[in-house]
Amino acid sequence: MALERVWKGLLVVAAVGVVALLLVQLGVVGAPWSDDRTEVRVLDDDGEPKATIDAEIADTPGERYTGLSDHDALEDGEGMLFVHDSEGERTYVMRDMDFGIDIVFIGADREITTIHSAPEPGPDEDGADQEYTGDAQWVLEVPIGYADENGIEPGDEVEIGSDD
């Protein structure tokens, strides 16, 4: 009887492990062992950094959906980098946001295509109607005003991580 319970317990643990691995492989959840942050550098015409951002990575559907809505704020030099498999027209919203952000759209060639300054939703708004669109493979969200303060503009080149 005790041996039977042990085997059933091991079977349950194995089944949970297989389901968890499948969810990671499908990109539904992020791998807990993966690096979930990267450095993003916006370069000037001479290739010198205008800004360096310590960015949290959102690369699964769940992480991209939640975005920064579960954060209270972003400090200067912090952000979130949304990673997509390919370039395309992307629309981002301010759903459940408590603070304003700059939304920086970055094309497959790692050049900034569009920047939107998105204020926090009003008291009776959830932000779902605040839509911001641009062509991008990556979307970088930083504190509101950060792009202007650092001279970041469309056409600037972006380096992501240390592989560039």
Side-chain angles (χ1 to χ4, degrees), residues 6-84:
V6 169
W7 278 109
K8 284 182 180 178
L10 288 174
L11 185 60
V12 168
V13 168
V16 168
V18 168
V19 169
L21 185 59
L22 182 61
L23 291 173
V24 168
Q25 289 296 319
L26 292 174
V28 175
V29 296
W33 57 84
S34 68
D35 186 17
D36 61 349
R37 301 191 79 77
T38 192
E39 185 176 89
V40 178
R41 291 169 301 286
V42 180
L43 308 177
D44 65 16
D45 292 338
D46 297 327
E48 294 299 317
K50 286 184 175 186
T52 301
I53 299 103
D54 176 31
E56 185 177 342
I57 297 172
D59 59 358
T60 68
E63 291 169 342
R64 287 190 297 260
Y65 181 84
T66 302
L68 290 169
S69 65
D70 64 352
H71 291 61
D72 293 327
L74 282 177
E75 297 298 321
D76 195 40
E78 289 184 338
M80 180 172 277
L81 182 68
F82 296 81
V83 180
H84 298 276

Side-chain angles (χ1 to χ4, degrees), residues 4 6 30 36-38 47 65 77 84 95 116-117 124 148 151 157:
E4 185 178 332
V6 169
D36 61 349
R37 301 191 79 77
T38 192
Y65 181 84
H84 298 276
R95 179 179 29 310
H116 293 284
S117 187
D124 296 325
D148 280 342
E157 183 182 341

